[in-house]
Amino acid sequence: MDIVGPLEPHTASGNQYILVVVDHATRYPEAIPLRSTIAPAVAKALIGIFTRVGFPKEVVSDRGTNFMSAYLKHMWNECGVTYKFTTPYHPQTNGLVERFNKTLKGMIMGLPKKLKRRWDVLWPCLLYAYREVPQKGVGFSPFELLFGHPVRGPLALVKEGWERPLHEPKQDIVDYVLGLRSRMAEYMEKASKNLEASQHLQRFWYDQKAAMVEFQPGQKVWVLEPVAPRALQDRWSGPYPVLEKKSQATYLVDLGTSRTPKRVIHVSRLKLFHDRADVNLLMVTDEDQEAGSEPLPDLLSTDPKDGSVDGVIYSDTLSGQQQSDCRKVLQQFAELFSLTPGQTHLCTLDVDTGDSMPVKNKISRQSDQVKESIKVEVHKMLELGVTEHSDSPWASPVVLVPTPHTKDGKREMRFCVDY
């Protein structure tokens, strides 16, 4: 369950909130307009729903103050209901009702302007329209899964008017009950298969950009604040120490504040803190040398023009013997120093994709100048034998990256592919 609002403008009767309850099994929604969201008003609306469908075994909601009040906790205890809260600032925990909230707001926005202040009067019709539409995940409408037969809606009435059906013979009550049980079992089996296929597809696309992240107690992390207190304040705060791993996706973090010293935070709002003292120097170049070190020698005064070692012009800082030694080394390994790309026979790399579904990303639109550069580069690589034509179902768009400026001021384009 969740609460939507406040909605502006509020209705003529003062309703500006909506209590939304969605059944996870059938996707059947209930929505009650409310004037306020205080705990007694929420409890009264919930009792009205439960008197029609019975008390649930479990209820999931966010951590709103009205849902976490002692008033509702007492009601859950008396009714034998297990109550669960979502992870703070992680609406995916209760994604079913959050998705219905978006649909619900769109239905209200679609009303004519003169009827928007009367949405609470038209509410039963809006819910009726939603309940009779088949859900993509389960393949049935919420009405059909709850009551065991298709809803007799406006289109069904029109169809009956056209066909003018004869009066059907009365059905025995036992036959009706047995038929209903048979239909419900069939619906349940088909809905489970449809839902499993839909979840498998959603998980496949989600895993394309998802990566497993794990923190250990004692590590420091940055925490993403969804709403910054001030406009120019950084949304990442911290670093804070991790106290405990609560589950695969949640961690207990010590925020060090008097109001909320410890908080359970979803892993999507955390990233590891790297201390600057742990960063080591990996490379020294002639532009940024260590103090007191000898300058790096400039072996070549210019780049070879013809792409071969014979065209190398050596620096004047080298003696004759040093130039001779360099020339011998370059000639001995001429193939390695060539400016022309080639292939190696020393090793091969096989990428085993297993049974994974092929990923084929769409190619983005390119300008005519970029297209011409792509054609030239592909033709060059085909001539050199460093690439070949492929009919693989896997595909990733290329990105052209300019090389640094050469000494003559020219820049070339190179392919960059994100695998």
Side-chain angles (χ1 to χ4, degrees), residues 123-199:
W123 198 239
C125 300
L126 297 178
L127 283 178
Y128 181 91
Y130 181 89
R131 291 166 178 165
E132 72 168 350
V133 177
Q135 301 293 303
K136 183 179 180 181
V138 294
F140 295 91
S141 67
F143 186 98
E144 199 169 3
L145 287 180
L146 182 65
F147 295 103
H149 61 84
V151 61
R152 188 166 177 260
L155 293 180
L157 297 178
V158 174
K159 181 180 178 181
E160 291 177 4
W162 287 344
E163 295 179 349
R164 295 182 181 179
L166 300 175
H167 293 287
E168 297 181 358
K170 293 184 179 181
Q171 187 177 13
D172 182 72
I173 184 65
V174 177
D175 294 338
Y176 173 79
V177 173
L178 293 177
L180 177 62
R181 292 180 60 181
S182 176
R183 288 196 303 273
M184 293 300 293
E186 181 183 356
Y187 291 169
M188 182 183 300
E189 182 180 1
K190 290 183 178 180
S192 298
K193 292 181 179 179
N194 294 336
L195 184 60
E196 183 179 358
S198 177
Q199 291 175 342

Side-chain angles (χ1 to χ4, degrees), residues 402-413:
T403 62
H405 287 286
T406 58
K407 293 185 178 181
D408 56 2
K410 295 183 179 180
R411 303 182 72 178
E412 295 183 355
M413 305 302 291

Side-chain angles (χ1 to χ4, degrees), residues 200 204 352-358 394:
H200 177 75
F204 168 77
D352 185 9
T353 58
D355 298 331
S356 301
M357 186 180 299
W394 295 74

Side-chain angles (χ1 to χ4, degrees), residues 89 222-229 233-238 240 255 257 260 263 265 268-270:
Y89 300 108
W222 297 103
V223 177
L224 176 63
E225 299 294 342
V227 181
Q233 180 174 331
D234 192 355
R235 298 182 65 185
W236 288 94
S237 60
Y240 305 117
L255 301 182
T257 59
T260 54
R263 186 189 299 174
I265 301 177
S268 62
R269 294 177 52 218
L270 301 175

